[in-house]
């Protein structure tokens, strides 16, 4: 019965609902790519139309996001007046999740992983002089096997479907600089810059081509250096030329001195300017060896914070303002790095890191993916393709960063190691430092992976001091998380309070700073999650409670001040001790006590009821036979028993949910099912025990009535006709054992909180459920006068069949069994 209801709930989560569209357009938004004298960059944000394949068009401005449908069409028009003398392209800062892009009804590009900024060149043969039509069909769905990220996500920012950032139309000259790459080589006494220029020439108008490069330090415009190169005769198409340049007294980038170059590249034909580009470029040397990371020859220790940003929450101008404010506050706290985890970052945020002095850790948005997926050749090829695209795209905004492959990898899995070996080798060829984040401490190391990240979830780092000292490979704490569920209270003895969070990070930094261990705090600013979290703390608006600033408008926090004082060697911040508080809810004790007293009163009120309870419990066959034969049975007693039983059941499961409300394993198993609605509802019940008691009480009442109706339907073809009331009474008395656990419910939460006999408690609960099932089946064959073997056989077959249907459905749609197995393996190594 419970399995069937869960199946209906999951299936209904995919049902169609109305399409909701929200525009994020703002007139104040600034371009990431600016117009210059040879290139015209135009916003394409206004006057779009959105529509489904079946419905009419609605006008809207973009960026815009939508919910309620798996695909939505976005359409606009743009004018071209000089297609024979200009080269046109479209630039998308970000879409979600994938799209088919057509121009004038011709499909020109199919895009997946659209959160990565990308450019699409427009073939001149499909463009028209005058008005052209651009159409994007945006697909919203993530899946469990092929998409990056996957559908099942833990502590991940809520994602929205649509065109989530700006769109531009760029007009370039026919002879244009397509791409210029800069690579630095550090010598002992000087710095040489190797410049590899890829020049695309689609029309040869002269053989006299010249390239000029102007290197201007952002902090010292008077220190500009200029270089000029005559190019050899060029062929039609793309031409690649390399040049060696030596800069005098180069401006070297570091978090303490975030200087960089603004490079102006100019292409001349017969001394006439034909194209010009502007590129920001940082000169720095980032390397690793067996002892750690080195930046510009000096040891560098990551002192970072994760940064999540909810695309789709703000208009495009406000988004940049918030990103700017938040990254500056991260820098002001003393951090030197930012880890962009679980999502493709906004390109503006990556570009800003260069300016404010934060080293970006940019990683693939994977988290807790089963290792079976890594053995799929097609998936590995897709992963490497997206990874290469991500590296190329974000290197435009910050050419100095560490490349990550995802989080919560199994630390000691051979297939995971082989996968990381392969992708790390692919990226190391491009000269980037690489890392992966693990759910535990690795024992098996990849030869190609430079850094190992270790995730902590409320786990005291000092407990693994000896293990960390024995690691033979460079590592850092990639994710240190401690939730703040209760806000400001008396002191840090109250677990998961603001003071407890501050105390945790104070001890954490005391340990890591003394040992010079790299770390990433998870996280500084709050974000809206994909679902109502358990470990992240339930909230009606989906905001997690793991951040140092749990309120979006918070001006300061105790945890932030503690971390700032530690990182900047300021005076210590006082953290009050307070007194510990029991998390057990008084309502659990009161209801359990009230129901126990009521049961005792009813039993002793009438001798007949006491005898009925005794017979129903110990001689159930005789009891159900008397019920079938219409022996005297008080309806009042039955309904009083129903009230007590349902109260006991709802209280029992409310206590269990309340105990599991912060449990990572429980949340991850629910995430593996792939239904955000199911997680939201169960999280609501777990974190709202008073409401859970009401909802579960109604649920179990409906359940008993439903079971009675099902039995009545099954009894219709039988010769022996049994009235509905008798069947209902049989169901009620079948659940009698739940009254026995009432005294246990008085102390059940304290028993579970001790965390010593939890497995035994779970075993007892399972035995109780099996006992109830056997009693129901016994009531069925006695009341309906059917052979018991048939009832037991078909009863167990029905339960197994229902469970099998759900398992097969979930495995086919969401690979749930693979994710379950991975979660259990992960939990064994997770530091929580």
């Amino acid at each position: 019965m419970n399995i069937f209801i869960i199946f209906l709930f999951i299936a209904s989560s995919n049902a169609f609902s109305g399409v909701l569209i929200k525009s994020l357009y703002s007139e104040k938004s600034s371009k990431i790519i600016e117009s210059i004298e040879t290139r015209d960059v135009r916003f394409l944000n206004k006057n779009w139309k959105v529509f489904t394949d079946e419905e009419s068009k609605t006008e809207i401005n973009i960026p815009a996001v939508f919910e309620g449908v798996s695909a939505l069409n976005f359409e606009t028009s743009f004018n071209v007046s000089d297609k024979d003398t200009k080269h046109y392209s479209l630039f998308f800062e970000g879409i979600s999740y994938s799209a088919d892009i057509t121009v004038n009804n011709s499909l020109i590009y199919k895009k997946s992983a659209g959160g990565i900024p990308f450019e699409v060149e427009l073939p001149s043969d499909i463009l028209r002089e005058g008005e052209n039509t651009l159409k994007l069909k945006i697909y919203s769905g993530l899946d469990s096997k092929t998409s990056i990220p996957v559908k099942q996500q833990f502590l991940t920012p809520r994602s929205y479907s649509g065109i989530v950032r700006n769109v531009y139309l760029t007009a370039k000259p026919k002879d244009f600089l397509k791409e210029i790459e800069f690579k630095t080589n550090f010598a002992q006494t000087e710095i040489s810059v190797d410049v590899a220029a890829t020049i695309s020439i689609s029309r040869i108008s002269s053989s006299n081509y010249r390239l000029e490069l102007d290197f201007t330090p952002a902090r010292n415009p008077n220190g500009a250096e200029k270089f000029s190169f005559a190019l050899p005769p060029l062929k039609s198409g793309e031409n690649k030329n390399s040049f060696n340049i030596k800069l005098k007294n180069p401006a070297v980038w570091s978090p303490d001195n975030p200087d960089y170059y603004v490079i102006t590249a100019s292409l001349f034909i017969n001394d006439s300017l034909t194209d010009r580009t502007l590129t920001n470029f940082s000169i720095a040397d980032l390397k690793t060896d067996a002892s750690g990371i080195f930046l510009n020859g000096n040891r560098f220790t990551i002192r970072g914070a994760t940064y999540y940003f909810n695309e789709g929450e703000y208009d495009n101008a406000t988004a940049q303002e918030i990103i700017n404010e938040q990254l500056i506050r991260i820098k002001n706290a003393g951090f030197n790095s930012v880890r962009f985890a679980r999502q493709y970052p906004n390109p503006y945020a990556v570009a800003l890191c260069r300016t404010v002095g934060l080293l970006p850790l940019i990683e693939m948005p994977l988290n807790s993916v089963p290792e079976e997926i890594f053995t799929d050749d097609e998936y590995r090829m897709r992963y490497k393709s997206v990874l290469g695209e991500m590296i190329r795209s974000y290197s435009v905004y910050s050419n100095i960063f560490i490349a990550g492959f995802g989080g919560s990898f199994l630390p000691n899995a051979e297939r995971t190691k082989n996968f990381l070996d392969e992708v790390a080798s692919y990226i190391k060829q491009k000269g980037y430092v690489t890392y992966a984040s693990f759910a535990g401490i690795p024992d098996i190391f990849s030869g190609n992976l430079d850094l190992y990240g270790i995730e902590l979830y409320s786990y005291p780092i000092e407990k693994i001091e000896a293990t960390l000292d024995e690691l033979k490979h460079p590592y850092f704490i990639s994710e240190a998380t401690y939730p703040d569920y209760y806000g400001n209270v008396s002191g840090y003895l109250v677990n998961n309070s603001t003071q407890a969070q501050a105390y945790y990070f104070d001890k954490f930094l005391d340990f890591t700073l003394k040992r010079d261990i790299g770390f990433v705090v998870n996280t500084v600013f709050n974000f809206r999650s994909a679902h109502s979290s358990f470990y992240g703390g339930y909230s009606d608006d989906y905001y997690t409670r793991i951040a140092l600033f749990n309120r979006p408008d918070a001006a300061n926090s105790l945890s932030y001040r503690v971390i700032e004082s530690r990182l900047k060697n300021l005076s210590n911040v006082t953290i009050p001790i307070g007194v510990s508080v029991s998390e057990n809810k008084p309502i659990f004790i009161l209801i359990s006590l009230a129901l126990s007293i009521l049961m005792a009163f009813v039993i002793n009120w009438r001798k007949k009821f006491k005898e009925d309870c005794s017979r129903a419990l110990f001689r159930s066959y005789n009891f159900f036979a008397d019920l079938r034969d219409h022996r005297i049975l008080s309806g009042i007693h039955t309904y009083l028993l129903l009230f007590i039983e349902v109260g006991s059941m709802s209280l029992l499961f409310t206590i269990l949910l309340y105990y599991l409300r912060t449990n990572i394993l429980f949340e991850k198993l629910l995430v593996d099912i792939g239904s955000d609605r199911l997680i939201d509802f169960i999280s609501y019940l777990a974190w709202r025990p008073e409401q859970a008691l009401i909802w579960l009480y109604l649920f179990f009442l409906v359940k008993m009535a439903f079971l009675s109706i099902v039995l009545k339907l099954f009894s219709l073809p039988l010769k022996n006709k049994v009235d509905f009331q008798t069947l209902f009474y049989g169901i009620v008395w079948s659940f009698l054992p739940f009254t026995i656990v009432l005294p246990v419910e008085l102390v059940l939460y304290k028993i579970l909180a001790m965390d010593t006999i939890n497995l035994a408690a779970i075993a007892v609960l399972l035995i109780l459920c099996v006992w109830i099932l056997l009693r129901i089946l016994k009531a069925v064959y006695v009341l309906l006068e059917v052979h018991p073997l048939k009832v037991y056989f078909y009863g167990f077959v029905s339960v197994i069949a229902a469970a099998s249907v759900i398992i097969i459905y979930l495995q086919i749609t969401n690979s749930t069994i693979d994710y379950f197995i991975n979660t259990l393996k992960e939990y064994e190594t997770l530091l929580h």
Side-chain angles (χ1 to χ4, degrees), residues 40-57:
D40 178 33
V41 180
R42 285 181 273 163
F43 272 128
L44 286 186
N45 286 359
K46 297 182 69 174
N47 302 321
W48 286 71
K49 295 180 175 63
V50 296
F51 55 96
T52 65
D53 292 338
E54 297 81 18
E55 297 181 1
S56 59
K57 299 179 181 180

Side-chain angles (χ1 to χ4, degrees), residues 16-22 52 64-72 74 140 158-162 312 530 542:
F16 179 82
S17 58
V19 182
L20 301 176
I21 305 172
K22 178 174 70 172
T52 65
V65 294
F66 66 89
E67 294 180 285
V69 68
S70 60
L72 193 64
F74 288 77
S140 63
R158 192 177 186 87
S159 61
Y160 295 85
S161 303
Y542 294 94

Side-chain angles (χ1 to χ4, degrees), residues 299-317:
R299 181 173 175 83
F300 179 81
T301 303
I302 294 173
R303 296 178 178 178
T306 55
Y307 186 69
Y308 307 113
F309 186 74
N310 285 113
E311 304 278 7
E313 296 287 327
Y314 313 98
D315 64 58
N316 46 4

Side-chain angles (χ1 to χ4, degrees), residues 534-803:
F534 287 75
Y535 176 76
Y538 176 85
S539 68
D540 294 331
D541 53 10
Y542 294 94
Y543 277 104
T544 63
R545 300 182 184 276
I546 64 172
L548 306 186
F549 294 100
N550 269 336
R551 297 197 322 275
D553 58 344
N556 213 331
S557 77
L558 180 61
S559 299
Y560 181 86
R561 286 187 283 115
V562 166
I563 291 176
E564 181 183 26
S565 69
R566 281 289 189 173
L567 295 181
K568 299 171 77 171
N569 293 318
L570 305 177
S571 57
N572 290 336
V573 177
T574 302
I575 307 173
I577 299 175
V579 293
S580 60
V581 178
S582 173
E583 294 183 343
N584 193 14
K585 288 284 187 178
I587 192 173
F588 297 157
I589 299 173
L590 294 175
I591 292 179
S592 178
L593 190 60
L595 291 175
S596 298
I597 293 173
L598 178 60
M599 185 65 185
F601 172 77
V602 173
I603 286 177
N604 292 288
W605 177 37
R606 292 287 179 89
K607 182 179 180 181
K608 179 66 169 60
F609 183 69
K610 186 174 184 180
E611 291 175 352
D612 288 340
C613 288
S614 177
R615 292 175 65 246
L617 196 60
F618 300 109
R619 291 183 294 165
S620 54
Y621 181 91
N622 294 336
F623 176 83
F624 291 129
D626 289 344
L627 181 60
R628 178 196 63 204
D629 297 335
H630 298 284
R631 305 283 173 85
I632 297 176
L633 180 66
S634 172
I636 295 177
H637 290 168
T638 300
Y639 285 106
L640 282 173
L641 180 63
L642 173 65
F643 174 80
I644 296 170
E645 285 175 349
V646 173
S648 176
M649 285 188 284
S650 60
L651 179 60
L652 174 64
F653 285 96
T654 297
I655 293 172
L656 290 175
L657 286 175
Y658 185 70
Y659 170 71
L660 293 170
R661 73 194 185 283
T662 64
N663 189 278
I664 293 178
L665 176 61
F666 187 53
E667 178 173 354
K668 288 203 168 204
L669 290 173
L670 288 174
V671 168
D672 295 341
I673 293 174
S675 171
D676 287 340
R677 287 183 60 191
L678 179 65
I679 301 173
D680 291 344
F681 183 64
I682 297 180
S683 179
Y684 171 81
L685 296 181
W687 279 93
R688 301 287 188 271
E690 294 82 3
Q691 290 86 339
L693 284 167
I694 298 172
W695 281 105
L696 290 176
Y697 195 93
L698 295 174
F699 169 78
F700 287 119
L701 278 178
V702 173
K703 174 182 175 178
M704 287 191 173
F706 182 80
L707 284 173
S708 303
I709 293 172
V710 170
L711 290 182
K712 181 61 179 177
L713 293 175
F714 275 115
S715 71
L716 293 178
L718 301 177
K719 294 181 180 180
N720 180 31
K721 303 301 181 183
V722 182
D723 62 272
F724 178 80
Q725 184 182 39
T726 300
L727 294 173
F728 181 69
Y729 282 7
I731 293 297
V732 171
W733 285 89
S734 296
F735 283 87
L736 179 63
F738 270 107
T739 62
I740 300 175
V741 301
L742 279 172
V744 178
E745 292 172 356
L746 278 167
V747 293
L748 179 59
Y749 185 84
K750 287 189 175 181
I751 292 173
L752 294 173
M754 292 169 59
D755 201 21
T756 54
I757 59 171
N758 287 4
L759 290 178
I762 293 173
V764 170
L765 179 61
L766 292 176
I767 292 172
L768 178 64
C769 292
V770 172
W771 186 15
I772 297 296
L773 176 60
L774 292 174
R775 287 176 58 83
I776 292 174
L777 295 177
K778 180 179 287 188
V780 170
Y781 77 72
V782 173
L783 295 176
L784 301 181
E785 297 185 275
V786 182
H787 196 283
L789 289 180
K790 288 185 178 181
V791 174
Y792 284 124
F793 175 77
Y794 287 113
F796 281 106
V797 166
S798 299
V799 172
I800 294 171

Side-chain angles (χ1 to χ4, degrees), residues 343-492:
Q343 62 179 166
Y344 299 111
N346 189 303
Y348 178 76
V350 176
L352 189 60
C353 286
R354 184 205 306 270
T355 305
V356 302
L358 292 167
L359 178 68
L361 280 67
I362 303 174
E363 70 181 58
M364 293 286 279
L366 286 187
N367 189 266
S368 300
V369 176
E371 57 179 331
E372 287 78 11
I373 292 178
F374 299 146
T375 61
D376 184 354
D377 292 338
E378 184 178 343
Y379 182 84
R380 293 202 306 275
M381 291 178 59
R382 183 183 303 108
Y383 181 95
K384 287 193 290 186
S385 174
V386 175
L387 177 61
E389 182 184 352
M390 184 184 77
I391 297 294
R392 288 191 301 273
S393 178
Y394 287 113
S395 64
V396 174
Y397 308 102
S398 179
N399 59 294
I400 304 298
F401 62 87
I402 301 178
F405 303 129
S408 295
F409 289 106
L410 294 177
N412 303 312
E414 190 66 31
R415 285 177 289 187
T416 299
K417 173 189 173 296
N418 294 337
F419 172 76
L420 292 174
D421 260 337
E422 182 178 339
V423 296
S425 175
Y426 171 71
I427 291 302
K428 283 179 70 67
Q429 296 173 4
K430 303 179 183 297
Y432 289 93
V433 174
T434 61
Y435 76 94
S437 182
F438 292 85
I441 301 176
D443 292 332
I444 303 175
F445 295 101
S446 164
N448 294 321
L449 202 60
D450 294 315
L451 292 171
Y452 277 77
I454 299 171
E455 299 172 9
L456 303 180
Y457 293 91
S458 308
Y459 194 84
I461 189 174
E462 58 270 17
K463 288 188 176 182
I464 53 172
E465 177 181 359
T467 306
L468 294 179
D469 290 341
E470 294 176 359
L471 286 180
K472 304 300 183 184
H473 199 286
Y475 71 92
F476 69 112
I477 307 302
S478 55
E479 207 166 303
T481 310
Y482 191 94
D484 172 10
Y485 304 136
Y486 304 118
N488 285 306
V489 293
S490 61
Y492 65 76

